[in-house]
Amino acid sequence: MKNHTFSILLIKDSVRKTKDIIKNYQSLKQFNIKISGLSNTALFIKKLPSRPPKWLSLFEDMISADEIRSLKSSLVSGIFLVDRGGKKYALAFGYGRALLDPGCYEERFGLIVTLNSIDSNSIRSIDKKTFETPIYKHTRDQAGRPGSASDFGLNVDQDLVRSITGKPTEEDLGNRLSGADSLSVTIKASLYELPALLDKFHEKFKDTSYRNNFPWADHFSQVTHKPVIEILNQSLIDKIRAKEMDRMWMALPEIVEWSSISGFRYSPSILHASLPNIDMESFLSIRGADDMDIQWLKRKKVYAFNVDDTAAHAAWRAYNCIYCEIDKNGNTYILNGGIWYCLASSYVDEINTRLYRIRYSRIDLPPCSELSEGEYNIRVQRENKDSVALMDKKLVLHGGGKSKIEFCDLYTKDKQLIHIKKYGASSTLSHLVYQGRVAGQLFHMDPEFREKVNHLLPKSFRLANPKEAIQTKDYEIIYAVISKEAGEQMTLPFFSRVSLVLAARELRGYGYKVSLKKIGVV
């Protein structure tokens, strides 16, 4: 018997009608199929119009029109809908997945089945999304031989596993399983053996033993079910109308070069007053909280204006600029960059506990009145010339690729490496954390890096002998954030908390003291 690959999705119990599963199903060709052990079986097929592949247009002056027409190809998509044991399943063929309503199937069905079916050391491929690095990354890592999650460089605190591929431990589950929302199984089996397979896969889906080998799997996941997203969006609107802003703020959804920005507006017109930053208070002043709705948030734009303040040179949806945390049904949901994520409450508690162990520095730093942290750094150094060295924008070219690394923004004679960022977004804070972690590691381990840093330091701040190992216990790495939030402490985006916790653990491992500092705004 030949190997066949099946792509299987489990339909939610709350979705029973075909019209709620397959979009425009009445326009598709339908075949009633009879298989013992299955009920309500139907195959829906859609044939897309035949057309030549797009790349053939490159040769249209060299190949006759009749020849091009003869090279047309057609695509056929299919959905095989079946009932088994009170559950409804959809098997997708070709581009059949596109025929399904995205909210009709169980999220992570395939992922959980796969995790429960493979050995933790038999992973062949991982698709992941990495949060809170200098850029968000979507990657697929494949290996020539089976390995563990750690072999693939999976950071269980920052990586959302979107799908995973491996060899099942039981032979009757196929040669290879790959799971995300759908389950892709390659197996020597026919449709007549489908009932028994579906029973096994559903049993694996209900099993929770995967948490023993893959305890990180439930840390967080992207919310894709439309009804849940609608509920969360309504909760967002309710919080805005109730003016509950303790876990909600506005921030730019991507990294910007602050030196090229004069300010922000909620209109593309220069006739409106320019703002030094965006925040919920100023945003709500243009439309009262009582009149807020999700459609308007998705239409309304936030504009960054060029340094001459003559024109907008970047714009984002207001919805994408809102960060919000909502607790519901025992989980924490986070809106970040226009996407909702679900975090297990136990994981949130664990990260918060580890964050609280990072002390706040006693260093005296004045409040910020400048537009950028660069201008603020210059003022602090100017007011403390004898004790503070300005290192901002003094880049160290280091490494095989000659990476540009900042030692810190401000360096004191008390051996404090101060890294400063104006709070603008979770992704912006990632640069703060990344800079401190990389610079601390190299300063501790690499004599060549220390020599380059020493050359950039003012003479009175330099190391006596940069080739000698430093005593890291004498140094303090301070993560300082410029924030308008009242009080000494600050509320940070969840993924920034994760990043800080991981960086602090690594830097403490080298022997450094690590602390936080909130810089107020005037």
Side-chain angles (χ1 to χ4, degrees):
M1 185 180 297
K2 291 183 179 180
N3 275 331
H4 294 283
T5 299
F6 299 101
S7 181
I8 306 170
L9 296 109
L10 174 62
I11 305 301
K12 292 178 180 291
D13 288 340
S14 59
V15 183
R16 304 307 298 172
K17 296 181 180 179
T18 302
K19 68 180 182 65
D20 297 325
I21 300 172
I22 302 177
K23 296 177 288 187
N24 303 316
Y25 80 98
Q26 292 174 325
S27 65
L28 307 180
K29 194 164 186 178
Q30 181 175 341
F31 300 88
N32 293 322
I33 308 293
K34 291 186 178 181
I35 297 176
S36 178
L38 300 177
S39 59
N40 298 319
T41 54
L43 176 63
F44 298 86
I45 291 180
K46 180 177 183 178
K47 183 178 180 181
L48 300 177
S50 300
R51 58 171 64 90
K54 288 184 179 180
W55 56 264
L56 267 180
S57 62
L58 291 169
F59 304 93
E60 59 187 1
D61 295 334
M62 308 170 191
I63 302 177
S64 69
D66 289 341
E67 284 290 342
I68 287 180
R69 282 192 291 270
S70 71
L71 296 173
K72 288 182 178 180
S73 62
S74 61
L75 298 174
V76 177
S77 301
I79 288 291
F80 186 36
L81 209 56
V82 306
D83 283 8
R84 172 66 180 177
K87 301 293 179 181
K88 190 176 288 290
Y89 299 87
L91 278 70
F93 298 94
Y95 291 91
R97 176 77 173 269
L99 304 177
L100 295 175
D101 186 296
C104 75
Y105 46 79
E106 293 282 357
E107 291 91 354
R108 305 207 312 155
F109 164 70
L111 179 62
I112 292 174
V113 170
T114 301
L115 293 177
N116 272 322
S117 303
I118 65 174
D119 185 88
S120 59
N121 293 309
S122 68
I123 299 173
R124 299 301 296 263
S125 173
I126 291 180
D127 284 23
K128 62 185 179 182
K129 179 177 182 179
T130 301
F131 295 92
E132 196 55 21
T133 57
I135 56 172
Y136 286 171
K137 297 185 294 183
H138 296 258
T139 57
R140 170 175 293 173
D141 295 326
Q142 301 186 53
R145 59 180 180 81
S148 66
S150 59
D151 293 331
F152 286 81
L154 182 70
N155 184 327
V156 298
D157 289 304
Q158 290 180 303
D159 293 341
L160 166 64
V161 175
R162 300 172 68 87
S163 72
I164 197 164
T165 301
K167 182 177 177 58
T169 55
E170 302 171 38
E171 291 185 4
D172 57 354
L173 292 180
N175 301 322
R176 184 178 70 247
L177 292 178
S178 183
D181 290 338
S182 66
L183 174 68
S184 177
V185 51
T186 301
I187 189 171
K188 290 182 178 180
S190 68
L191 288 177
Y192 295 104
E193 296 168 88
L194 188 58
L197 271 177
L198 294 178
D199 287 345
K200 290 177 182 177
F201 291 142
H202 190 265
E203 182 180 344
K204 294 291 185 183
F205 177 61
K206 302 304 291 183
D207 189 3
T208 59
S209 60
Y210 69 92
R211 294 170 182 165
N212 297 324
N213 291 327
F214 307 98
W216 42 263
D218 293 333
H219 279 176
F220 53 91
S221 58
Q222 183 174 330
V223 180
T224 58
H225 189 29
K226 284 184 178 178
V228 176
I229 293 174
E230 290 173 0
I231 291 171
L232 293 171
N233 281 338
Q234 185 57 51
S235 296
L236 168 67
I237 295 300
D238 292 343
K239 284 176 69 70
I240 292 175
R241 290 175 178 172
K243 296 182 173 60
E244 297 175 0
M245 303 296 175
D246 56 322
R247 299 168 68 193
M248 183 195 312
W249 53 83
M250 294 193 77
L252 301 184
E254 62 186 41
I255 299 165
V256 296
E257 183 55 55
W258 286 89
S259 61
S260 65
I261 292 175
S262 64
F264 300 88
R265 292 180 175 89
Y266 304 118
S267 165
S269 171
I270 60 172
L271 298 178
H272 290 76
S274 177
L275 301 168
N277 211 330
I278 61 173
D279 56 57
M280 291 300 298
E281 182 180 358
S282 62
F283 181 70
L284 292 178
S285 69
I286 62 174
R287 184 184 179 105
D290 293 339
D291 297 326
M292 192 64 62
D293 61 61
I294 203 69
Q295 290 75 25
W296 185 80
L297 284 179
K298 291 185 175 181
R299 290 196 308 269
K300 188 62 180 174
K301 297 287 182 65
V302 173
Y303 299 88
F305 277 70
N306 60 18
V307 69
D308 297 324
D309 201 33
T310 56
H313 77 105
W316 305 269
R317 290 197 309 173
Y319 180 74
N320 289 10
C321 295
I322 294 177
Y323 179 93
C324 182
E325 295 184 7
I326 292 175
D327 294 325
K328 193 175 287 290
N329 301 324
N331 291 318
T332 295
Y333 293 90
I334 288 179
L335 177 65
N336 190 27
I339 298 174
W340 283 102
Y341 300 93
C342 177
L343 283 70
S345 58
S346 59
Y347 179 52
V348 175
D349 292 342
E350 175 191 340
I351 293 299
N352 287 340
T353 299
R354 291 160 67 183
L355 180 68
Y356 295 149
R357 293 175 184 153
I358 303 176
R359 70 180 184 87
Y360 275 73
S361 176
R362 295 180 179 178
I363 189 172
D364 184 21
L365 291 174
C368 177
S369 58
E370 291 80 5
L371 177 62
S372 71
E373 67 264 19
E375 294 170 329
Y376 174 79
N377 293 334
I378 292 172
R379 175 166 67 89
V380 173
Q381 191 278 330
R382 186 174 63 242
E383 295 173 354
N384 301 273
K385 290 182 179 179
D386 294 333
S387 59
V388 177
L390 179 66
M391 300 300 290
D392 186 20
K393 298 183 176 62
K394 294 184 178 180
L395 303 178
V396 179
L397 297 178
H398 192 70
K402 295 300 180 185
S403 298
K404 297 178 180 180
I405 301 164
E406 270 190 352
F407 174 54
C408 60
D409 293 310
L410 298 173
Y411 178 68
T412 76
K413 283 191 174 178
D414 291 331
K415 298 182 178 181
Q416 294 163 308
L417 287 71
I418 309 172
H419 303 272
I420 300 174
K421 279 294 179 184
K422 196 180 187 79
Y423 175 68
S426 178
S427 56
T428 301
L429 294 183
S430 73
H431 275 260
L432 174 77
V433 178
Y434 180 79
Q435 175 180 295
R437 182 174 62 81
V438 172
Q441 178 193 56
L442 292 173
F443 193 56
H444 164 55
M445 302 177 65
D446 195 329
E448 183 182 349
F449 179 77
R450 286 197 295 272
E451 287 188 284
K452 292 178 180 178
V453 168
N454 220 37
H455 180 72
L456 295 175
L457 285 168
K459 288 185 179 180
S460 61
F461 289 80
R462 290 178 182 173
L463 301 172
N465 187 353
K467 292 183 179 181
E468 289 184 357
I470 62 168
Q471 297 296 314
T472 51
K473 64 181 179 62
D474 297 332
Y475 290 82
E476 180 183 10
I477 294 177
I478 302 173
Y479 288 114
V481 179
I482 301 171
S483 170
K484 294 176 66 175
E485 187 176 2
E488 179 183 341
Q489 298 190 351
M490 53 194 163
T491 305
L492 297 174
F494 179 79
F495 292 116
S496 292
R497 285 176 252 162
V498 172
S499 187
L500 276 168
V501 163
L502 297 178
R505 181 178 65 187
E506 180 178 340
L507 292 169
R508 284 170 176 164
Y510 299 141
Y512 290 108
K513 295 186 288 288
V514 180
S515 60
L516 298 173
K517 181 67 178 180
K518 179 180 154 308
I519 300 172
V521 176
V522 293

